[in-house]
Amino acid sequence: MFWVLLLLPTWAVAGVACSRLCLAAVRSASVDADVGEGHQLTLYEAAFLSGGPGRVAELTLVSMARQRRLLLAHTGWATVVDPRGRDEMERSVIGAIGPEGQSRITPVRAAAAGADAVRGLADRLTGAGLAVPDGARTTVAAGVRQVRGAALTVLALGLAALLLPVPSDMPRLLMAAWFGLPLALTLSCLALGPLVWIMPASRGLARTSAALSSVAMAPPSLPPPPCSCTHQTPLASAGTNRRSQPA
C-alpha cells in the first residue's frame, strides 16, 4: 500500500491548485454588466486597448512628430522642438527626454510607457470595465503556473509509484489509472481555465470593440502636414557633432 501514500499528495496538490486557478479566473471575470456603458474612448485609450502602454507612448511620439513639435530621426534620436506639452502624456514624453532636449527613442518610449499618466489611463479603463486589472492578470498567471507545477508533481509521483520495486496487491494498470485521474484534472483545468476567464469577460470585450469602432468611425479632422525628411539631416549632424566633441 505504499503507492497510496503517494496518491494522497497528488490529489491534494491537484485539488488545491485547480481550485485556486478557477477562483482567480472567476473573480477576474466578474464584471458588472452596466459598467463601461456609454464610455467614449479617447485616442490614447484606444491605443492602450489595442497595444498596451507601449502603444500609447508610440502614439504620443508620432503625434508630436507630425505636429513638428518633436523630431524623430532615423538614427534613433528624439529631439524636443516645443517643450510645452499639451496634455499629461506629452509632458511625460518631454520629461522622459530630459532637460537636454535630446535622447534615444528606445529609453524615452520605455519611460513614457511606465509614466503615471499611462497608469492613470489604465485605471480609468479598468474602472470603466474595458480593461482587466494588472492584479487580476497576475493572479490568474500565477494560478496557471501552480497548476502546471501540480501536473508535473502528479506525473512524477505516479511514475515513482509505478517504478519503485515495492510489492503491491494492486495491478500496475489500475494503479496508473488512479494517478491518471488527478493528472487529467490538472490538464483539463489548464485547458478550460482560460475559457472560464474569457467567456464572462466577453461583455467587456464587446464594449471595448464598440468603443474602438466609435473612435475609428469618428469624423476625421484635418491632420497637420506630414513631416519632411529634411529635418533628419541637421539632427543627424547634431548627433555627430555631439559625439565628436571631446569629453
Side-chain angles (χ1 to χ4, degrees), residues 41-61 89 109-115 117-123 125-126 130-132 134 137 208 212:
L41 285 181
T42 64
L43 193 58
Y44 289 135
E45 291 174 341
F48 184 91
L49 293 176
S50 62
R55 186 64 56 84
V56 178
E58 293 169 356
L59 171 65
T60 308
L61 289 169
M89 278 306 309
R109 177 186 178 277
V118 178
R119 287 193 290 269
L121 185 147
D123 292 339
L125 290 174
T126 301
L130 299 176
V132 179
D134 290 336
R137 288 193 295 267
T208 302
L212 288 173

Side-chain angles (χ1 to χ4, degrees), residues 173-234:
L173 184 59
L174 186 56
M175 188 185 305
W178 277 105
F179 282 95
L181 291 177
L183 181 61
L185 174 64
T186 54
L187 296 179
S188 61
C189 191
L190 286 176
L192 298 178
L195 296 179
V196 176
W197 183 25
I198 293 171
M199 290 175 62
S202 59
R203 295 171 297 178
L205 179 61
R207 290 194 296 271
T208 302
S209 301
L212 288 173
S213 299
S214 65
V215 173
M217 298 176 63
S221 58
L222 292 177
C227 291
S228 63
C229 297
T230 56
H231 71 274
Q232 296 179 353
T233 301

Side-chain angles (χ1 to χ4, degrees), residues 2 33 49 60 67-68 81 89 94 102-103 146-147 173 202 209 218 239 244:
F2 177 76
L49 293 176
T60 308
Q67 298 171 11
R68 299 189 179 184
V81 177
M89 278 306 309
I94 295 173
Q102 189 178 41
S103 177
Q146 188 173 10
V147 173
L173 184 59
S202 59
S209 301
S244 61

